[in-house]
Amino acid sequence: MATQFYTIPEVAKMVKLTADHIYRVTRAGELGTYKIGRKVLISQEQLNEWLATKRQYTKYERNVLAETYIATH
């Protein structure tokens, strides 16, 4: 199966963020890229991995984490 690649503006549009934000994330090393000539590309797999790390906790999960922290410190 062929890997799908996207440009930074395409990724920004897909995840509803600005292209500047995606550039900052790639420069920080949070989101991997491929550079071909002057074009910067992001694979679908890299995008999926990055999005998985951006998962937010539910209120219940935050409460459990807070109670655990308080109990251990």
Side-chain angles (χ1 to χ4, degrees):
M1 185 169 148
T3 301
Q4 180 71 36
F5 290 91
Y6 304 103
T7 63
I8 288 184
E10 290 172 331
V11 169
K13 188 174 182 179
M14 289 185 333
V15 297
K16 295 182 170 83
L17 294 170
T18 65
D20 286 340
H21 182 83
I22 302 301
Y23 279 112
R24 279 194 302 274
V25 169
T26 59
R27 279 194 301 270
E30 292 180 38
L31 176 58
T33 61
Y34 295 95
K35 190 165 183 183
I36 301 174
R38 296 182 70 184
K39 190 171 267 196
V40 177
L41 301 173
I42 299 168
S43 72
Q44 182 67 54
E45 289 81 17
Q46 291 168 313
L47 181 58
N48 290 342
E49 289 174 18
W50 179 69
L51 289 172
T53 66
K54 298 299 161 194
R55 178 188 167 299
Q56 292 193 1
Y57 292 108
T58 64
K59 185 176 181 180
Y60 173 76
E61 290 171 322
R62 286 191 308 267
N63 287 338
V64 169
L65 289 171
E67 290 171 5
T68 303
Y69 179 82
I70 290 170
T72 58
H73 288 86

